[in-house]
Amino acid sequence: MKKLKKRWGIKTNGQLFIIFLVFAITGSSAAKLASPVTDLFEIKKEMGWYIYWPFRILIIFPIYQVLLVFFGWVFGEFTFFWNFVKKMLRGMGLGHLFNK
């Protein structure tokens, strides 16, 4: 845990706990919210895995990013999660979305 705290610039175990909690809540929430969206677009499993799962993943990704920042803000770690999301998007080649 010391390496992770150092890498992320975290000072306390409480802060680390909150960050893990935000990741857990965000992942669960994004996965749960993807179902109504796929239903809205009438994408069903019966259409085949090669249509359903790529669409679902494409839907979960932006939902996850927004929820990560939102829940980070709710739990008082907005700056950490805002920087985390920006770094993730830059790593995926979407850094042009943010000014340095």
Side-chain angles (χ1 to χ4, degrees):
M1 291 298 183
K2 288 180 184 179
K3 287 182 183 180
L4 190 57
K5 285 170 55 176
K6 184 178 179 183
R7 180 177 175 188
W8 284 352
I10 298 168
K11 295 174 180 61
T12 66
N13 287 336
Q15 200 177 5
L16 186 62
F17 174 77
I18 289 171
I19 289 169
F20 285 152
L21 182 65
V22 168
F23 278 124
I25 291 170
T26 302
S28 299
S29 299
K32 193 71 171 169
L33 288 173
S35 291
V37 176
T38 55
D39 290 343
L40 178 70
F41 287 103
E42 297 182 0
I43 304 295
K44 308 287 182 206
K45 285 184 180 180
E46 293 79 28
M47 298 174 88
W49 66 268
Y50 46 88
I51 293 174
Y52 179 79
W53 285 109
F55 183 81
R56 188 171 171 96
I57 290 168
L58 287 173
I59 292 301
I60 288 175
F61 182 72
I63 292 171
Y64 183 82
Q65 304 304 314
V66 171
L67 289 177
L68 195 59
V69 174
F70 173 73
F71 285 124
W73 172 74
V74 168
F75 285 92
E77 291 293 338
F78 174 81
T79 304
F80 173 83
F81 284 104
W82 179 242
N83 291 332
F84 189 88
V85 166
K86 289 191 299 187
K87 184 177 178 182
M88 184 187 329
L89 292 175
R90 282 188 192 114
M92 297 176 76
L94 300 172
H96 63 278
L97 299 173
F98 303 101
N99 294 331
K100 290 190 177 192

